Amino acid sequence: MRNGIASASFPSEESRRRRLLFFVAASFLLGATLALLAKSPRGSPPGPPPPPTPGPTAPREKGTYGNPILFADWSDPDVIRVGDDYWLVASSFHEVPGLPILHSKDLVHWTLAGHAASRLPSPRYDVPRHGGGVWAPSIRWEGGFFHVWYGDPDLGIFTTRARDPRGPWEPLRLVKEARGWIDPCPFRDADGSLWLVHAWAKSRAGFNGILTLERLSPDGFSVIGEGVNVFDGGTRHPTVEGPKLYRRGEWIYIFAPAGGVKSGWQTVLRSKSVRGPWEERIVLDQGDTPVNGPHQGGLVDTPAGEWWFVHFQDRGAYGRVTHLQPVTWRNGWPVIGEDPDGDGKGQPVLVHTRPDAGRVAPAVKPQVSDEFESPALSAMWAWNANPGAGWFSLTARRSALRLFPAVCPDGPAHSVALQPNVLRTRLSAERLVATALVELHGEAQGATTGLAVLGRDAAFVGVARTAEGWDAVCSFGADVLGQGVESVVERRPVRSGRLFLRVTVEPEARLRFATSDDGKLFTPIGGELVAREGAWVGSRLALFTAPLPRPTPADFTDVEWFRVE
């Protein structure tokens, strides 16, 4: 709020102009004089400016940030610092490209830098495998390379590396063929030996809640001998998983979440040997906050010596959003968040002083809208499976994404959620409006293109070709990752195949769809629906064109733009 002084009369326009010019000139002269006095020794003429130095160029009052720092499904985050850059990797499960890499200068503002896996390393991912693929990766820097590791619960442990985290990344390399091995994290000990800690997927291995330590070859490309179980969570820390290994001083730490995705906590183990024995402590839980299940993430420091913990919170259909917690150390144990009762177990902060990153970082964020002006598909999109030739084009029409229909598979109809050539992107806010301008081409009756919200249930608004022309349609399907399939909730004729499609997302993931011929007046269609989370992921916004029995070159959809507000 501005300070104000009451005035008995208002000055004229000319008077105000003269006063404004005088004020600007005086302020400039005063500022320049003070600057020269500050830079020059007393009694000496001002010299040339000093060379630039790293860090802040002037003292500043640190601001605050609010959690979550990323309201989007960047699940199971791990983070490192290299110099004054921070890099984060997240789970991507069946989506392709996989292993998203995010970049930040201050731990608060992030952009999506790219992906470490352009394809998943098996033909099994040429079709959607919801719940499979990339689970809980880790990222480390060593020997001039960024290394990313992840577990595929059906195939084993994979790794890749790159000189630049923006890419290119080497092809994925299978380190250990195994079933049920997940959440790997490497660790180089002081004697140069290389180790890997991992967890177990009960759905594949038949058990979980155990952390296992493996010895790796010096290059990290193979497992040596048999592993040893170093921690059994039992009833104290059920479902312990997602381990991350660190050394600080004389202690080695394993940070591992326990208690389950929705309501768990953060456990930390410590030992003076990577082989144990390990002490245990809960260092973070929900406490008296609304942040359920604050756990699973990465520990990172700043150049100023501060420590921070990045973790997720499960928000149902919105996915696992990202939080940032301060870390202090007490008697060799981390205290994460705030500790109001001083018992060493923290709870999440909702607002806190920003990390000391050395300089002011720009308020960037991951891309959420696309005008399709680039010759390459934006990293904000991921396919439902390994992409095939001829699925799309960004050059067939200038500033438009062209989607081509696939051939209908044999057998019963499938949900859009099980269609491989579907483009997916994350929900980026609790409230948002997503709009796409599409144009359906071709004469094939039943051809449909749409804007969808996909999870365990699916809903979409689209335009469909009919014998009489075109219809706007809204469809919904329950349990679409099982046997469910969408059915039409409402349809109505429209003037052409060019249509503005819109979905409005409200709190609790309530959905309202609408269409427009001109982009100005939107007519609701289909009533209110509710989104559900997917298999280990949140709901996704998606663009698709439905398969046809015999598609021709004349059958395609042009998406002119996709915008989220």
Side-chain angles (χ1 to χ4, degrees):
M1 185 175 68
R2 296 179 180 176
N3 293 324
I5 299 177
S7 175
S9 63
F10 292 95
S12 67
E13 182 64 26
E14 182 60 27
S15 174
R16 283 201 301 268
R17 187 179 299 109
R18 288 197 302 268
R19 290 181 186 181
L20 177 61
L21 290 172
F22 176 80
F23 176 78
V24 170
S27 298
F28 175 82
L29 290 172
L30 177 60
T33 302
L34 291 174
L36 289 173
L37 289 174
K39 290 184 177 180
S40 304
R42 186 180 300 273
S44 301
T53 57
T57 56
R60 66 179 178 89
E61 182 177 352
K62 291 169 65 176
T64 60
Y65 72 92
N67 275 316
I69 55 170
L70 288 166
F71 195 99
D73 189 21
W74 307 106
S75 65
D76 311 323
D78 191 26
V79 61
I80 59 169
R81 176 179 64 85
V82 178
D84 60 357
D85 292 282
Y86 301 90
W87 302 95
L88 183 150
V89 66
S91 294
S92 50
F93 299 96
H94 77 288
E95 295 178 329
V96 185
L99 291 169
I101 305 291
L102 286 82
H103 173 248
S104 176
K105 283 290 189 180
D106 63 358
L107 286 172
V108 175
H109 302 99
W110 295 85
T111 57
L112 180 57
H115 293 82
S118 59
R119 298 179 66 85
L120 295 185
S122 170
R124 76 189 308 269
Y125 293 110
D126 293 349
V127 296
R129 299 282 182 182
H130 292 270
V134 175
W135 285 29
S138 60
I139 184 169
R140 295 292 180 265
W141 187 86
E142 183 183 76
F145 283 94
F146 291 83
H147 300 258
V148 168
W149 299 68
Y150 77 90
D152 181 313
D154 298 298
L155 300 181
I157 303 298
F158 290 85
T159 188
T160 180
R161 66 181 187 176
R163 294 283 188 184
D164 185 340
R166 298 176 182 87
W169 289 81
E170 294 181 1
L172 293 170
R173 184 190 299 260
L174 180 62
V175 176
K176 173 68 176 180
E177 184 176 356
R179 184 170 173 81
W181 290 31
I182 57 170
D183 308 354
C185 181
F187 175 76
R188 182 78 70 177
D189 208 349
D191 63 1
S193 58
L194 188 58
W195 303 86
L196 184 84
V197 65
H198 67 86
W200 296 85
K202 187 175 182 179
S203 57
R204 274 70 163 185
F207 64 91
N208 63 0
I210 291 175
L211 302 182
T212 301
L213 185 71
E214 310 284 349
R215 182 75 178 264
L216 294 176
S217 60
D219 61 9
F221 294 151
S222 60
V223 172
I224 300 173
E226 295 295 323
V228 57
N229 295 337
V230 294
F231 185 70
D232 185 344
T235 57
R236 306 180 316 282
H237 304 280
T239 323
V240 67
E241 57 188 352
K244 298 291 185 288
L245 267 166
Y246 307 96
R247 176 184 288 279
R248 182 177 183 271
E250 62 180 347
W251 292 103
I252 297 172
Y253 298 87
I254 297 178
F255 279 55
V261 169
K262 294 184 180 297
S263 57
W265 55 86
Q266 188 66 33
T267 297
V268 167
L269 316 175
R270 74 175 187 180
S271 174
K272 294 186 177 180
S273 169
V274 71
R275 300 175 181 85
W278 297 89
E279 304 173 48
E280 65 185 69
R281 177 175 290 191
I282 297 175
V283 297
L284 175 70
D285 66 10
Q286 180 171 349
D288 296 325
T289 75
V291 183
N292 59 290
H295 68 342
Q296 187 148 353
L299 179 72
V300 67
D301 67 348
T302 71
E306 298 176 343
W307 289 87
W308 297 84
F309 184 64
V310 177
H311 69 90
F312 76 69
Q313 174 201 9
D314 186 275
R315 293 290 300 268
Y318 296 100
R320 305 177 192 182
V321 302
T322 311
H323 288 243
L324 177 66
Q325 304 298 334
V327 178
T328 56
W329 296 87
R330 189 183 305 162
N331 300 321
W333 288 101
V335 181
I336 301 179
E338 59 184 2
D339 182 17
D341 59 6
D343 67 351
K345 182 171 63 175
Q347 65 183 27
V349 299
L350 303 182
V351 178
H352 194 270
T353 303
R354 289 185 182 179
D356 184 355
R359 61 177 69 245
V360 177
V364 295
K365 58 184 178 180
Q367 178 185 349
V368 297
S369 299
D370 200 345
E371 301 295 318
F372 302 113
E373 295 176 340
S374 171
L377 193 61
S378 167
M380 67 176 275
W381 299 104
W383 295 102
N384 221 13
N386 280 332
W391 281 10
F392 77 104
S393 173
L394 286 163
T395 58
R397 175 179 168 185
R398 186 177 179 182
S399 299
L401 167 70
R402 180 159 293 180
L403 297 175
F404 299 99
V407 178
C408 286
D410 295 332
H414 294 292
S415 164
V416 172
L418 300 181
Q419 182 181 323
N421 58 331
V422 171
L423 272 180
R424 301 157 58 96
T425 192
R426 292 165 175 81
L427 295 174
S428 55
E430 189 174 25
R431 299 173 183 264
L432 63 83
V433 178
T435 309
L437 174 54
V438 306
E439 185 170 6
L440 178 64
H441 294 262
E443 302 295 328
Q445 294 185 33
T448 304
T449 192
L451 169 63
V453 179
L454 303 180
R456 295 190 180 277
D457 297 342
F460 69 81
V461 60
V463 56
R465 196 72 163 93
T466 69
E468 293 76 26
W470 297 269
D471 280 358
V473 296
C474 181
S475 296
F476 173 79
D479 190 29
V480 295
L481 302 187
Q483 301 298 316
V485 67
E486 297 88 353
S487 58
V488 174
V489 176
E490 183 181 346
R491 69 188 308 148
R492 60 169 179 263
V494 290
R495 291 184 297 185
S496 73
R498 189 173 187 267
L499 200 62
F500 294 81
L501 308 177
R502 173 169 289 180
V503 59
T504 300
V505 182
E506 299 286 356
E508 300 179 357
R510 292 175 289 113
L511 310 175
R512 291 181 288 108
F513 293 98
T515 67
S516 173
D517 292 321
D518 59 8
K520 298 177 182 178
L521 177 64
F522 281 82
T523 304
I525 187 171
E528 184 176 279
L529 302 168
V530 178
R532 287 179 65 197
E533 71 280 1
W536 304 119
V537 300
S539 291
R540 295 290 193 262
L541 298 169
L543 297 172
F544 74 95
T545 188
L548 293 172
R550 290 178 296 278
T552 72
D555 298 311
F556 58 86
T557 294
D558 283 336
V559 185
E560 297 187 24
W561 46 255
F562 172 87
R563 297 170 185 166
V564 172
E565 302 170 290

